[in-house]
Amino acid sequence: MIDVGIINYNGGKELCLCVRSLVDQHDAVRIFVFDNASSDDSIEMLRSSGLPCEISCSHENLGYAGACNELLKKMTADIQVLCNMDLEFDPAWSREIKACFDRNPSIGSVASLVMEKSGYVNAVGVQFGNDLFAKNEGSGLTIDNADVREKEVFGCYGAVMSFRRDAAQAAGMMDASFFLFFEETEWYFRHNLAGYKTIFCPSAKVYHERSLTTVRYSPRKLFYSERNRLRTAMRLLPWSEIFKLPYRGLKRYASMARGGVPSQSGDGKRISKLSICGALANAWIQAVLSFPEELSARHEYAKLYGNVPNRVVKLIETYGCEK
């Protein structure tokens, strides 16, 4: 049995489509839905559909990380999954996930092949630079051009994460203060530090409409991504690399600006350069203000995992995109 936990926030009909695709799996799964204080009728639609699942509702939005933690408390199967509500699972997905875990008894996680419905790859795995700037491996490529062989990767893409229960327990809960974005990357650093590996399984296919809730290119998304990346860097990187963060950040922003700043977000709203600059500035300010908390987390991780900075540098060398 696989336990699948779905985080819903204003998922509309996409939520029902996601649950339906899990109900139709070749191998049975147990489905849990956690609603993050939605303002739409997605939960009512799901209840009226009669699809078998356990539904929990929060009166406040706990963020993605907080909702994941609530689902982790409920799931008891040896293989567990956390995912977005804007996914559709290939009918053979659960069978392929279980088979991959069986082939690799020592691994902690299996990463699915995440595809966009247009037919392009959304993610094979996750890669990141020396400053922990993360990107989806294979994003935007066709299947023929992406590296879709079964292989070891850093961790699962946050839209769908499949893992053993003992790996999740070793990593602990996600940091709910992250609220949105980068929480899964920080969590998978802990998976790796605890000694658990991830295998990418190309036959376990999932279809994803990216940023249905958070909106692609939005200043809000930019703020949380940057703030949480910086917070994670302060927890994990050597001090010599932390001192380079401002320089590397400015260099990256300049490169992005030369490539062209989107004039509108994924939902069609206009984006001003001022709003983008404001989101970045706010992300850096809040990250710096969180330094005492990150220093405390740094000390706690040292107790749990040993020499974290050196081990993280090795992870970057192995799975990074700046080789």
Side-chain angles (χ1 to χ4, degrees):
M1 178 64 71
I2 298 177
D3 282 352
V4 180
I6 303 171
I7 297 91
N8 180 61
Y9 179 70
N10 293 338
K13 65 180 182 180
E14 298 292 334
L15 174 61
C16 286
L17 291 173
C18 178
V19 174
R20 169 60 69 185
S21 71
L22 287 166
V23 171
D24 291 342
Q25 288 295 299
H26 288 253
D27 289 41
V29 300
R30 187 166 54 172
I31 306 166
F32 300 82
V33 176
F34 185 87
D35 184 70
N36 236 346
S38 293
S39 58
D40 72 351
D41 61 351
S42 52
I43 291 300
E44 288 74 15
M45 291 172 60
L46 178 59
R47 285 187 171 126
S48 64
S49 72
L51 293 169
C53 59
E54 180 179 319
I55 300 172
S56 302
C57 297
S58 174
H59 295 298
E60 62 176 320
N61 189 336
L62 304 180
Y64 195 75
C68 284
N69 289 340
E70 293 303 312
L71 286 165
L72 285 170
K73 295 173 186 176
K74 289 180 173 292
M75 299 189 295
T76 59
D78 289 336
I79 298 175
Q80 303 178 355
V81 181
L82 292 169
C83 70
N84 292 0
M85 75 281 179
D86 51 355
L87 302 176
E88 287 188 42
F89 292 80
D90 182 85
W93 172 83
S94 63
R95 182 177 62 201
E96 296 299 328
I97 286 288
K98 288 172 66 177
C100 190
F101 275 114
D102 289 342
R103 288 194 301 273
N104 302 277
S106 65
I107 64 169
S109 294
V110 173
S112 301
L113 171 59
V114 186
M115 300 285 296
E116 294 190 8
K117 292 178 181 177
S118 62
Y120 287 92
V121 173
N122 190 171
V124 168
V126 180
Q127 296 178 318
F128 39 86
N130 295 327
D131 59 354
L132 301 191
F133 185 88
K135 73 171 188 176
N136 298 333
E137 181 183 353
S139 179
L141 299 178
T142 63
I143 284 289
D144 292 337
N145 293 323
D147 182 2
V148 291
R149 59 196 169 85
E150 186 165 304
K151 59 182 180 178
E152 187 177 299
V153 294
F154 165 75
C156 296
Y157 173 45
V160 53
M161 301 172 280
S162 308
F163 45 85
R164 296 190 194 275
R165 184 185 182 191
D166 58 355
Q169 290 175 334
M173 292 293 182
M174 291 190 188
D175 190 329
S177 69
F178 276 35
F179 195 73
L180 285 173
F181 299 115
F182 219 84
E183 66 281 289
E184 80 282 0
T185 304
E186 198 273 348
W187 198 50
Y188 267 100
F189 269 111
R190 285 187 265 147
H191 278 247
N192 280 277
L193 291 169
Y196 288 93
K197 301 297 185 181
T198 301
I199 293 292
F200 166 66
C201 180
S203 57
K205 298 178 183 177
V206 180
Y207 299 92
H208 181 217
E209 288 300 317
R210 287 190 294 173
S211 299
L212 179 66
T213 298
T214 55
V215 184
R216 200 182 302 189
Y217 309 128
S218 70
R220 178 172 180 253
K221 181 173 183 177
L222 180 60
F223 163 74
Y224 282 114
S225 298
E226 278 297 278
R227 184 197 67 172
N228 296 339
R229 174 184 70 86
L230 293 167
R231 290 183 60 188
T232 301
M234 286 190 284
R235 295 179 183 189
L236 302 178
L237 289 179
W239 289 111
S240 59
E241 295 299 315
I242 292 173
F243 293 141
K244 296 176 185 176
L245 288 174
Y247 165 74
R248 285 181 168 154
L250 288 173
K251 184 178 178 181
R252 193 181 298 279
Y253 302 152
S255 176
M256 292 168 65
R258 285 195 299 271
V261 178
S263 60
Q264 63 181 32
S265 59
D267 59 356
K269 294 181 180 178
R270 290 187 60 81
I271 303 175
S272 69
K273 293 181 180 179
L274 183 62
S275 67
I276 291 175
C277 291
L280 289 173
N282 194 20
W284 278 82
I285 290 169
Q286 290 208 20
V288 170
L289 291 175
S290 74
F291 179 75
E293 289 80 7
E294 308 318 324
L295 188 60
S296 176
R298 190 179 179 94
H299 290 157
E300 183 61 28
Y301 288 3
K303 294 177 184 177
L304 292 171
Y305 309 119
N307 192 333
V308 169
N310 282 359
R311 295 181 65 189
V312 167
V313 166
K314 291 179 180 178
L315 288 171
I316 292 173
E317 291 172 350
T318 302
Y319 303 112
C321 56
E322 296 178 353
K323 298 180 179 178

